[in-house]
Amino acid sequence: MEATEGEQPIEDADQIVAPPNGGVNELLDVGQEENIEGEMEEFLGPQAQYNEEEEERKYYRRKRLGVIKNVVASSFGAMIVYSVYMGLLQMQLVLHYDMTYREVKYSNLGLEDIDQKMLMGINVTPVIGLLYTPVLIRFLGTKWMMFLASGIYALFVSTNYWERYYTLVPSAVAIGVAIVPFWASLGNYITRMAQQYYEYANYKEEHVQEQRKLPKGACHSYIIIFQSLFYAIFNLSFVFAEFPMRLVLHGHLHESKHVLCNVKICGAAIKGIIPGFNTTVLTNLPRSMLLIQVESILMGFAFLSMIIFLLLCGPAYRPTEEIDLRSIGWGNIFQLPFKHLRDYRLRLLCPFFIYSGLEMLFVISGFSLSYGVCTLGLKSLWLLIVVYGLSCSVFSLLSLSLLRLPRWVCLMGGAAVHAVLLVVLLALSIKPGSPEYLGPLLVITVLWGLGSALNKTGVSTVVGILYAEEKERLDFVYTIYHWWQAIAIFVVYLWSKMPMRVRLIQRSPPPQPAYILCIKMVFILGSSHSGQTVHPAGYVVAGLLLLLGDGAPRGTESAAQNASHPSAATQGERLPLPGRGQLR
């Protein structure tokens, strides 16, 4: 068969014939290879428009914004947790107090006895918090401790779906176990965020790059700002906690004439909470489905707080720092809180630790009930608590004045406000069912919120400032702070049946002779904001402390030397501390 025109006959089968279009499988030109190599070098080489210093600045700016996000997230998480907890507990106690509710729904259950045991579990268990709190925080980490504690509060909400002794009491004990670790973790976390913000804002400093100890007073301003922001947000929990009471139970409550019909006197003259208060406070019982819906909403917010702690809160320490914190051994971690109790700074602040617990529970359980509910009726309880929460939230921002004023201003200011109010309350005895006293009681509530805000924000700020440069000790000192606060709350719980005047005198701020405490606080807080110099009166104060013999630091060093070095411990012996060699 002959080949057609335009075709090439194949003479040999082994011969490779090029395709008709030709050049498709040829190698690339050498010039094209050089162009690709040039583009690669241009892509991988240093960019002419790349500014390394600018990119580094943007990176640390994002880090600083992340720190602010952590502070706001932890503040909102704690606010939601306590809004849910206090709102549910208040609604539960009001329902269980009503005799008709107990008889109709749980006639043979003994809810009143269960409530007493539940409150005992919440108030008594934190007394042993010093034994396990540092171990839990260092084993789990600060962030995970906050997450676990919020989960325990969510567990308490879930047990209210099935109100029995074996559900309510164990969950209340679990909350008591979690209170001190939760608050110690929060205080530690906020202070650590202030330290991190300083490091990201001064990333070019040599001591920051080498991760050395921060200079004295370097991050004090950030601690003041972050603690003020935290308490301004957290104190709103008192406002949101009243939503179940106002929106659900308010329409089911009797008027003041009914609930106060057997009450003879209110205020300072009474003994107990409200003697003669009617055991029937509900006009009609709320529907079970309504209560289940409310508890489901609260459960949803409890889970929201857990998600906030889990996803929005970053770690408080670097992985290497957490390893160093655990490397001292669990035995030393267990012992160090007890050794820190001998630190003279904590001993001098101890009266304020105790008073912060006394005044907080007094305004919630003593003033609001024995003065507010006894005078205005149960329907006005939500108004007093909301006003108190708003007052605390707004006045917490006054602690920003510590950026310019001495550190003791907040503590002494709060104590002075409460001292005046306690004198007024000691003389205030009111007839029950007197709505004309609504205005004065609201004024007292606002002023008490002012004192509470100055006290709590001031104490947390001062503790953070005193130990700002010793991040390996923060969990111990905040544990001691909130442990003393828990003991004070436990004492208030035991005193609930005593006469009101006795309880008011026992809450007088501060629980020491005033002249001794003032001298103590000038001694510890009288240094300048940088912490490097001491007010000239400090040496005179040191001599007065020795003359008064009130537990001022003694040892081989003179009092003046101790005053010039506020971070030096005054114990007779130096205690071992990891990473520093000695506890100073």
Side-chain angles (χ1 to χ4, degrees), residues 120-183:
M120 184 180 297
I122 294 174
N123 293 296
V124 176
T125 312
V127 172
I128 61 172
L130 192 65
L131 300 176
Y132 57 82
T133 297
V135 176
L136 282 179
I137 293 177
R138 297 219 170 176
F139 178 75
L140 297 172
T142 305
K143 169 188 172 179
W144 292 102
M145 187 66 249
M146 295 190 298
F147 172 74
L148 177 62
S150 63
I152 292 177
Y153 282 92
L155 173 67
F156 175 76
V157 178
S158 66
T159 57
N160 282 266
Y161 285 108
W162 186 252
E163 296 179 329
R164 295 295 184 271
Y165 182 90
Y166 54 83
T167 59
L168 294 178
V169 176
S171 64
V173 173
I175 282 186
V177 171
I179 285 177
V180 176
F182 181 63
W183 278 101

Side-chain angles (χ1 to χ4, degrees), residues 67-297:
V67 169
I68 297 175
K69 180 262 297 178
N70 292 340
V71 174
V72 174
S74 60
S75 303
F76 274 100
M79 184 266 291
I80 294 173
V81 165
Y82 264 75
S83 298
V84 171
Y85 164 64
M86 292 189 295
L88 179 62
L89 185 62
Q90 182 187 35
M91 185 176 70
Q92 181 188 69
L93 292 177
V94 171
L95 290 175
H96 292 180
Y97 178 82
D98 186 80
M99 183 177 61
T100 306
Y101 183 87
R102 295 199 307 267
E103 291 180 353
V104 171
K105 289 203 169 185
Y106 306 99
S107 57
N108 59 349
L109 192 59
L111 282 181
E112 191 172 7
D113 181 61
I114 290 177
D115 287 343
Q116 294 297 327
K117 289 183 171 59
M118 186 177 66
L119 292 175
M120 184 180 297
I122 294 174
N123 293 296
V124 176
T125 312
V127 172
I128 61 172
L130 192 65
L131 300 176
Y132 57 82
T133 297
V135 176
L136 282 179
I137 293 177
R138 297 219 170 176
F139 178 75
L140 297 172
T142 305
K143 169 188 172 179
W144 292 102
M145 187 66 249
M146 295 190 298
F147 172 74
L148 177 62
S150 63
I152 292 177
Y153 282 92
L155 173 67
F156 175 76
V157 178
S158 66
T159 57
N160 282 266
Y161 285 108
W162 186 252
E163 296 179 329
R164 295 295 184 271
Y165 182 90
Y166 54 83
T167 59
L168 294 178
V169 176
S171 64
V173 173
I175 282 186
V177 171
I179 285 177
V180 176
F182 181 63
W183 278 101
S185 300
L186 281 172
N188 184 16
Y189 190 81
I190 298 300
T191 307
R192 277 294 298 146
M193 290 301 105
Q195 294 172 344
Q196 287 187 8
Y197 194 92
Y198 169 80
E199 292 173 356
Y200 295 145
N202 301 272
Y203 60 91
K204 293 184 179 181
E205 299 292 336
E206 183 178 355
H207 62 273
V208 174
Q209 294 178 354
E210 296 179 1
Q211 297 183 11
R212 296 203 307 263
K213 186 176 180 179
L214 299 181
K216 188 70 176 178
C219 59
H220 288 182
S221 59
Y222 302 123
I223 294 176
I224 294 171
I225 294 172
F226 286 175
Q227 290 287 356
S228 301
L229 177 62
F230 169 77
Y231 278 100
I233 296 175
F234 172 78
N235 285 323
L236 292 175
S237 60
F238 293 101
V239 178
F240 294 110
E242 295 304 312
F243 279 22
M245 186 74 174
R246 180 64 183 88
L247 301 178
V248 179
L249 288 186
H250 191 266
H252 300 273
L253 297 176
H254 274 293
E255 298 295 335
S256 59
K257 290 182 179 180
H258 176 81
V259 296
L260 302 176
C261 60
N262 296 322
V263 180
K264 304 302 181 183
I265 192 66
C266 299
I270 69 174
K271 180 180 180 180
I273 303 297
I274 309 178
F277 196 72
N278 203 322
T279 56
T280 304
V281 297
L282 299 176
T283 57
N284 57 329
L285 301 185
R287 295 181 295 107
S288 298
M289 186 56 63
L290 176 62
L291 297 179
I292 292 175
Q293 291 172 354
V294 173
E295 291 167 0
S296 300
I297 294 173

Side-chain angles (χ1 to χ4, degrees), residues 271-384:
K271 180 180 180 180
I273 303 297
I274 309 178
F277 196 72
N278 203 322
T279 56
T280 304
V281 297
L282 299 176
T283 57
N284 57 329
L285 301 185
R287 295 181 295 107
S288 298
M289 186 56 63
L290 176 62
L291 297 179
I292 292 175
Q293 291 172 354
V294 173
E295 291 167 0
S296 300
I297 294 173
L298 296 177
M299 191 69 191
F301 279 103
F303 277 124
L304 176 61
S305 67
M306 295 178 64
I307 294 173
I308 289 175
F309 284 123
L310 180 63
L311 300 181
L312 298 183
C313 293
Y317 294 92
R318 302 182 186 92
T320 55
E321 291 176 333
E322 291 187 349
I323 294 174
D324 292 339
L325 292 177
R326 300 190 186 108
S327 63
I328 63 174
W330 299 109
N332 287 330
I333 294 174
F334 177 80
Q335 295 175 13
L336 281 175
F338 299 94
K339 294 180 179 179
H340 279 77
L341 285 172
R342 298 159 60 184
D343 191 331
Y344 79 101
R345 292 172 290 182
L346 293 178
R347 285 187 293 172
L348 296 182
L349 286 172
C350 182
F352 288 96
F353 296 165
I354 296 174
Y355 182 69
S356 65
L358 294 177
E359 61 90 10
M360 178 185 65
L361 198 59
F362 168 72
V363 73
I364 297 299
S365 62
F367 171 76
S368 62
L369 296 179
S370 299
Y371 287 87
V373 173
C374 186
T375 304
L376 306 173
L378 193 58
K379 282 192 171 184
S380 300
L381 175 61
W382 71 273
L383 180 60
L384 295 173

